[in-house]
């Protein structure tokens, strides 16, 4: 019996258990999503979008899922604070796939809602009814898998004209002594002219095989802006399937940076729909791989209205036997005149065993646009290395300086100074091999 | 005077092609040697072999520096032992600021010598002083190494680095090429200010004009991988008048 069939049976045999703790909206959407998962299964290598990332194989492990919500009661706070020096944060925790609120939090501005969808849906049914799964609905079968099994969704709602000064930090942690599969969900609604910064930390404190699917839906209203920083610090035995769907209205702004600092097998999908004139989106990524790590970033920037700007910068540094995949699509629809769109992908392969598959895609249907894209794969500059050695810098350190300089361009795009500085230090440590391989979080060390 | 550098019967190849075909050269502490010769003679090859560039293979001969077998030292250790090359074509290093670059270099050297890293204040003071020596703009110091620098700025940056590292033997590979007369003067004066009684230089150049400022004790002509003539400073004038053709015809 293949693993798709096993998941189908697991779902069908446990429907009451799955639906039990969940709000109506979650259960309605899972019904539809499951129909699609059941017919489509997992994508194979023949699927154009998954050519280099064998995800079906990853699901074949005999994982446990916490359908009975057992880990919901565990307490991770205190033992796992994940503080960034000099960065004021409001914290939320996701333990495996359960939301755990932090009672130590300061008050948020009036009207801001943060918490579990299963509580919020009762108070604001229209808000949840309108937004949940509305962007992810058309996602691929891995997204449908997540929607089928998700029992929790963390919600952040920022009302009109409200600015959250503190950074909202959501710390996701895997804590388990069995093989585990988690399905995480996040819904962010930014009303008109609101502003927030969101830091998502993805950690793993287990050496067991683990797989996390995550689906994040973000709505950014007219004139609103959101900074979203995602940092993965997991282990060799972790698989991450991230899906991010963003819809932007008029004059809104979205700044995104996704950093894979340590991982096992990762696929991140980012889809940004520019659905109002004057919207701006900046999406950045940094992937650092070594050993057998696999990092696949796939992006789609969909220009649906005119006068929008998109900038994209993804960089990979691949050492040893690691593999990188980047596939970035810019879609400029017929009506999207006066689009300014730029995509850059730069990759370093440090060994002959490291592999990079890069595929920029440009689809332009409008005629009055400024678009550019470029992708390169190279090695460290031998001449620069020798120049540095001649000045007395040992070969290994010269390599680190060059790698760090290469990565720095992405980190420099981060708007929060405290986070930027912290990441500079972390990346440098990562190259020096000084990162304590995730017995917890490195942000605060 | 004691010998700082002794090159004996040095043969070197690149990509299997022999470029240096038996070089013999002795530099004593305190001496300035000029090495002249037509393009393609092997001058840059000799410089690169001295500082241990991995693209070149030494097939025969030896190099003794400060009484040690130089060929056994890693490039960074040669640097720590006081060997400095002002590159004919300085390399651009995007994303690495001159300040960070120099800090790494200085502290690596100090570690090699068993000294503590330099503190930040001391280091910045030293940067300022040495920059002044070659009129290097303070704005350049925060920029990436050589990135977007003009030809003159690159060469001044080389001499600035030389000032920071205080080498015992400096090799200046066509440091004058591409410089206008003012820049040439600044660079040459910088080199002269750095000269001490116990430091030596190999000044590689095509033209007389640099040697108007930096006075050599001994002048060599390198041609086709060999030193074909060695004489006093008067050889510079002779080359200036007669060009290189007579050398080519005689060899
Ligand atoms: N990679 C290479 N393979 C073969 N020959 C080379 C290579 N690099 C340089 N050469 C040759 O080595 C010779 C010496 O070059 P170089 O040392 O740069 O001379 P110079 O500095 O005196 O002008 C030249 O004839 C050049 O063509
Ligand atoms: Mg040369």
């Amino acid at each position: 019996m293949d693993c798709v069939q096993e998941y189908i049976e697991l779902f069908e045999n446990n429907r009451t258990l799955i639906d039990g703790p969940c709000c109506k909206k979650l259960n309605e959407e899972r019904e539809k999503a499951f129909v699609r998962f059941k017919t489509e299964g997992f994508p194979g290598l023949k699927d154009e979008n998954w050519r280099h990332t064998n995800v079906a194989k990853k699901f074949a492990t005999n994982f446990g899922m916490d359908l009975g919500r057992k880990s919901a009661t565990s307490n991770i706070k205190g033992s796992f604070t994940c503080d960034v020096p000099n960065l004021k944060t409001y914290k939320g925790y996701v333990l495996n796939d359960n939301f755990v609120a932090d009672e130590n939090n300061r008050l948020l501005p009036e009207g801001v809602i943060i918490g579990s969808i299963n509580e919020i849906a009762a108070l604001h049914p229209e808000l949840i009814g309108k937004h949940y799964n509305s962007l992810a609905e058309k996602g691929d079968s891995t997204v449908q898998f997540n929607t089928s099994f998700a029992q929790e969704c963390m919600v952040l709602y920022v009302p009109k004209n409200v600015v959250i000064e503190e950074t909202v930090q959501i710390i996701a942690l895997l804590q388990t002594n069995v093989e585990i599969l988690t399905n995480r969900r996040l819904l962010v609604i930014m009303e008109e002219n609101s502003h927030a910064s969101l830091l998502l930390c993805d950690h793993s404190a287990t050496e067991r095989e683990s797989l996390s699917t995550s689906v994040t839906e973000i709505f950014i209203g007219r004139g609103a802006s959101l900074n979203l920083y995602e940092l993965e610090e997991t282990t060799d035995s972790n698989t991450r399937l991230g899906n991010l769907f963003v819809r932007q209205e008029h004059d809104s702004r979205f700044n995104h940076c996704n950093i894979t600092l340590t991982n096992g097998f990762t696929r991140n999908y980012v889809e940004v729909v520019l659905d109002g004139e004057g919207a701006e989106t900046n999406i950045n990524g940094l992937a650092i791989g070594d050993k057998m790590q696999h990092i696949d970033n796939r992006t789609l920037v969909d220009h649906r209205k005119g006068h929008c700007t998109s900038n994209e910068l993804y960089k990979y540094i691949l050492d040893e036997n690691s593999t990188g995949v980047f596939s970035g699509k810019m879609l400029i629809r017929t009506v999207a005149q006066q689009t300014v769109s730029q995509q850059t992908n730069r990759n370093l392969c440090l060994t002959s065993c490291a592999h990079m598959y890069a595929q920029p895609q440009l689809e332009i249907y409008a005629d009055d646009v400024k678009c550019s894209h470029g992708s390169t794969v190279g090695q460290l500059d031998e001449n620069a290395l020798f120049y540095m050695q001649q000045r007395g810098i040992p070969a290994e350190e010269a390599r680190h300086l060059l790698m760090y300089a290469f990565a720095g361009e992405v980190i420099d795009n981060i708007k929060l100074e405290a986070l930027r500085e912290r990441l500079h230090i972390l990346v440098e440590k990562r190259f020096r091999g000084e990162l304590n391989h995730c017995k917890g979080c490195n942000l605060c060390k | 005077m004691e010998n700082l550098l002794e090159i004996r019967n040095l043969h070197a190849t690149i990509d299997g092609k022999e470029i240096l075909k038996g070089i013999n050269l002795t530099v004593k502490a305190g001496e300035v040697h000029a090495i002249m010769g037509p393009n393609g003679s092997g001058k840059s090859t000799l410089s690169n072999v001295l500082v241990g560039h991995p693209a070149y293979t030494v097939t025969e001969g030896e190099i003794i520096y400060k009484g040690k077998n130089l060929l056994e030292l890693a490039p960074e250790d040669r640097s720590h032992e006081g060997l400095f090359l002002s590159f004919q074509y300085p390399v651009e290093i995007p994303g690495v600021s001159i300040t960070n670059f120099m800090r790494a270099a200085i502290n690596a050297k100090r570690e090699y010598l068993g000294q503590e890293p330099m503190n930040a204040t001391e280091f910045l003071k030293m940067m300022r002083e040495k920059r002044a020596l070659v009129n290097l703009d303070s704005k350049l110091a925060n920029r990436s190494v050589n990135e977007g620098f003009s030809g003159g700025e690159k060469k001044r940056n080389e001499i600035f680095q030389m000032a920071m590292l205080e080498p015992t033997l400096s090799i200046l590979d066509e440091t004058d090429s591409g410089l206008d007369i003012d820049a040439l003067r600044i660079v040459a004066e910088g080199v002269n200010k750095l000269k001490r009684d116990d430091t030596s230089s190999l000044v590689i150049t095509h033209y007389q004009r640099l040697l108007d400022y930096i006075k050599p004790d001994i002048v060599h002509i390198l041609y086709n991988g060999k030193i074909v003539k060695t004489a006093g400073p008067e050889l510079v004038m002779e080359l200036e008048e007669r060009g290189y053709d007579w050398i080519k015809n005689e060899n």
Side-chain angles (χ1 to χ4, degrees):
Chain A
M1 189 164 62
D2 76 352
C3 74
V4 174
Q5 194 53 41
E6 285 184 27
Y7 286 108
I8 289 171
E9 284 179 17
L10 179 74
F11 183 91
E12 287 172 340
N13 296 339
N14 291 283
R15 203 48 211 281
T16 331
L17 190 61
I18 295 171
D19 284 1
C22 301
C23 65
K24 195 163 135 251
K25 180 68 176 171
L26 241 54
N27 295 335
E28 281 168 12
E29 294 301 321
R30 92 168 78 258
E31 187 82 44
K32 289 188 278 175
F34 180 69
V35 174
R36 269 195 56 198
F37 172 69
K38 200 171 171 178
T39 45
E40 293 171 32
F42 295 113
L45 294 177
K46 289 211 179 76
D47 184 325
E48 178 66 15
N49 299 339
W50 291 86
R51 258 197 304 163
H52 304 290
T53 298
N54 191 349
V55 70
K57 205 170 140 196
K58 289 290 168 183
F59 278 95
T61 300
N62 187 16
F63 289 115
M65 277 197 249
D66 183 20
L67 301 178
R69 316 315 282 158
K70 293 281 189 327
S71 54
T73 52
S74 304
N75 189 342
I76 55 167
K77 287 158 292 170
S79 69
F80 205 82
T81 54
C82 212
D83 282 324
V84 180
N86 305 319
L87 188 73
K88 274 195 173 167
T89 58
Y90 181 99
K91 291 197 182 71
Y93 297 89
V94 175
L95 176 61
N96 298 335
D97 46 21
N98 287 285
F99 177 64
V100 189
D102 185 348
E103 311 86 47
N104 297 326
N105 277 321
R106 285 159 286 235
L107 279 183
L108 282 169
E110 205 180 327
V112 172
I113 301 171
I114 183 163
S116 158
I117 196 169
N118 295 320
E119 288 160 25
I120 294 169
L123 302 167
H124 308 277
E126 330 74 52
L127 189 72
I128 299 305
K130 183 176 158 198
H131 294 98
Y132 179 79
N133 207 38
S134 69
L135 298 179
E137 192 177 14
K138 59 183 184 345
D140 68 20
S141 62
T142 64
V143 175
Q144 304 312 316
F145 178 89
N146 174 287
T147 312
S148 301
F149 286 100
Q151 292 173 286
E152 178 61 282
C153 171
M154 181 160 172
V155 178
L156 171 65
Y157 173 79
V158 188
K160 188 172 166 179
N161 296 331
V162 168
V163 172
I164 307 184
E165 302 282 356
E166 291 178 0
T167 299
V168 177
Q169 185 181 9
I170 299 172
I171 300 150
L173 176 67
L174 277 177
Q175 247 178 7
T176 168
N177 41 32
V178 293
E179 285 70 27
I180 193 172
L181 192 160
T182 60
N183 297 294
R184 294 165 174 169
R185 228 33 221 215
L186 174 64
L187 174 62
V188 179
I189 302 160
M190 307 283 305
E191 297 281 22
E192 219 176 298
N193 292 322
S194 64
H195 171 77
S197 292
L198 192 55
L199 170 60
L200 306 180
C201 300
D202 186 359
H203 295 293
S204 166
T206 176
E207 298 299 323
R208 294 294 182 133
E209 279 297 311
S210 56
L211 191 159
S212 300
T213 72
S214 79
V215 173
T216 301
E217 294 175 282
I218 298 180
F219 298 82
I220 309 178
R222 184 185 278 258
S225 68
L226 176 71
N227 297 322
L228 175 68
Y229 304 111
E230 293 189 76
L231 178 65
E232 178 176 4
E233 285 187 86
T234 62
T235 57
D236 301 343
S237 56
N238 185 249
T239 295
R240 169 185 155 112
L241 295 178
N243 284 280
L244 171 63
F245 298 90
V246 182
R247 181 173 170 275
Q248 290 184 244
E249 290 182 20
H250 282 73
D251 300 322
S252 64
R253 181 171 299 176
F254 178 56
N255 296 316
H256 181 226
C257 188
N258 185 322
I259 298 179
T260 309
L261 198 60
T262 57
N263 79 318
F265 185 94
T266 293
R267 153 80 160 212
N268 293 308
Y269 177 66
V270 176
E271 178 178 314
V272 180
V273 176
L274 295 164
D275 214 0
E277 293 197 347
E280 178 186 322
T281 205
N282 299 300
I283 57 178
N284 301 285
L286 176 64
I288 303 174
D290 55 15
K291 294 178 280 187
M292 296 296 287
Q293 284 172 233
H294 181 94
I295 306 165
D296 176 345
N297 285 294
R298 182 173 180 82
T299 67
L300 167 64
V301 179
D302 183 354
H303 284 259
R304 288 200 191 163
K305 296 280 156 62
H307 302 273
C308 292
T309 305
S310 65
N311 294 300
E312 184 168 359
L313 174 66
Y314 270 80
K315 286 190 151 186
Y316 288 67
I317 301 172
L318 302 173
D319 205 349
E320 298 174 346
N321 294 295
S322 58
T323 308
V325 185
F326 174 76
S327 148
K329 181 162 160 179
M330 300 193 286
L331 171 59
I332 323 287
R333 296 181 191 255
T334 320
V335 294
Q337 298 296 358
Q338 306 264 309
T339 290
V340 179
S341 175
Q342 182 187 315
Q343 183 192 85
T344 308
N345 168 232
R346 304 241 175 278
N347 312 298
L348 277 180
C349 287
L350 303 178
T351 67
S352 57
C353 299
H355 282 290
M356 182 70 210
Y357 302 95
Q359 189 191 20
Q361 283 172 277
L362 205 53
E363 263 183 54
I364 306 181
Y365 300 100
D367 47 24
D368 181 16
V369 298
K370 271 200 203 107
C371 296
S372 66
H373 70 110
S375 178
T376 57
V377 182
Q379 287 86 40
L380 290 177
D381 180 352
E382 292 290 337
N383 288 322
L385 284 175
F386 182 69
Y387 187 77
M388 296 168 111
Q389 273 179 279
Q390 203 309 293
R391 298 305 186 242
I393 301 172
E396 193 60 17
E397 194 179 342
R399 267 166 59 91
H400 292 155
L401 275 170
L402 288 186
M403 286 153 68
Y404 177 64
F406 182 84
E409 194 191 356
V410 176
I411 299 167
D412 284 340
N413 283 339
I414 291 175
K415 310 272 182 218
L416 305 177
E417 193 187 344
L419 182 62
R420 190 169 63 232
E421 277 170 13
R422 190 65 202 149
L423 283 169
H424 271 300
I425 294 168
L426 283 184
V427 166
E428 200 176 348
K429 281 192 176 175
R430 168 73 168 89
F431 291 142
R432 289 181 194 279
E434 290 168 8
L435 266 200
N436 168 2
H437 240 252
C438 216
K439 268 286 167 256
C441 140
N442 283 299
L443 266 178
C444 46
K445 287 195 186 109
Chain B
M1 263 190 294
E2 111 192 55
N3 288 344
L4 179 62
L5 178 75
E6 276 182 76
I7 304 175
R8 298 186 196 131
N9 188 32
L10 181 69
H11 291 251
T13 60
I14 183 163
D15 294 338
K17 185 181 162 198
E18 184 166 70
I19 309 292
L20 301 184
K21 301 169 182 172
I23 303 257
N24 291 290
L25 178 70
T26 300
V27 179
K28 291 190 162 61
E31 284 179 348
V32 175
H33 288 233
I35 299 180
M36 305 182 75
N39 267 333
S41 302
K43 302 185 297 294
S44 293
T45 302
L46 176 61
S47 317
N48 281 320
V49 169
L50 283 172
V51 294
H53 195 294
Y56 301 86
T57 312
V58 172
T59 50
E60 219 184 312
E62 58 181 351
I63 307 177
I64 308 298
Y65 171 75
K66 287 185 178 171
K68 292 185 180 117
N69 179 357
L70 187 71
L71 296 174
E72 281 179 355
L73 293 182
E76 53 266 38
D77 292 341
R78 297 185 196 195
S79 170
H80 299 146
E81 290 287 347
L83 208 54
F84 180 91
L85 171 61
S86 167
F87 285 76
Q88 182 173 2
Y89 304 107
V91 183
E92 300 193 5
I93 316 180
V96 178
S97 72
I98 295 186
T99 307
N100 285 344
F101 177 54
M102 276 293 105
R103 186 181 292 121
I106 294 275
N107 286 335
K109 180 176 178 179
R110 291 175 74 102
E111 189 179 334
Y112 181 85
L113 299 175
Q115 299 165 343
E116 289 291 303
M118 197 178 246
N119 78 42
T121 329
E122 221 182 316
F123 174 74
L124 291 174
K125 181 164 163 271
M126 181 175 175
M127 288 275 289
R128 254 196 320 277
E129 285 169 8
K130 306 295 183 179
R131 264 199 334 257
L133 207 66
V134 286
N135 285 358
L136 194 73
D137 197 317
S138 65
K139 282 188 209 111
L140 287 185
N142 296 321
R143 296 236 312 256
S144 296
V145 179
N146 292 323
E147 195 185 28
F149 286 24
S150 70
E153 285 168 343
K154 282 183 182 168
K155 295 300 170 80
R156 273 190 281 153
N157 188 20
E158 293 293 285
I159 305 307
F160 158 72
Q161 293 173 43
M162 176 177 158
M164 291 291 287
L165 294 167
E166 300 176 333
T168 316
L169 175 62
S170 50
I171 307 163
L172 308 181
D173 190 358
E174 303 215 19
T175 299
D176 53 339
S177 67
L179 294 187
D180 62 30
I181 194 72
D182 289 334
L184 180 73
R185 196 172 37 76
I186 292 168
V187 163
E189 280 172 2
V191 172
N192 287 335
K193 280 185 212 150
L194 294 172
K195 181 79 182 76
R196 295 196 318 250
D197 288 349
D198 59 338
T199 64
S200 308
S201 307
L202 280 178
V203 182
I204 295 171
T205 182
H206 241 56
Y207 307 103
Q208 177 202 342
R209 51 177 209 161
L210 180 64
L211 302 175
D212 289 343
Y213 293 97
I214 304 174
K215 294 287 176 204
D217 302 303
I218 298 169
V219 179
H220 310 272
I221 297 174
L222 181 64
Y223 179 64
N224 196 17
K226 281 187 184 144
I227 289 182
V228 294
K229 201 169 172 62
T230 296
E234 69 285 351
L235 183 56
V236 179
M237 286 308 294
E238 192 180 350
L239 280 173
E240 195 69 16
E241 278 160 25
R242 298 177 66 188
Y244 286 109
D245 283 350
W246 60 282
I247 300 285
K248 293 182 189 169
N249 294 335
E250 277 178 22
N251 290 279

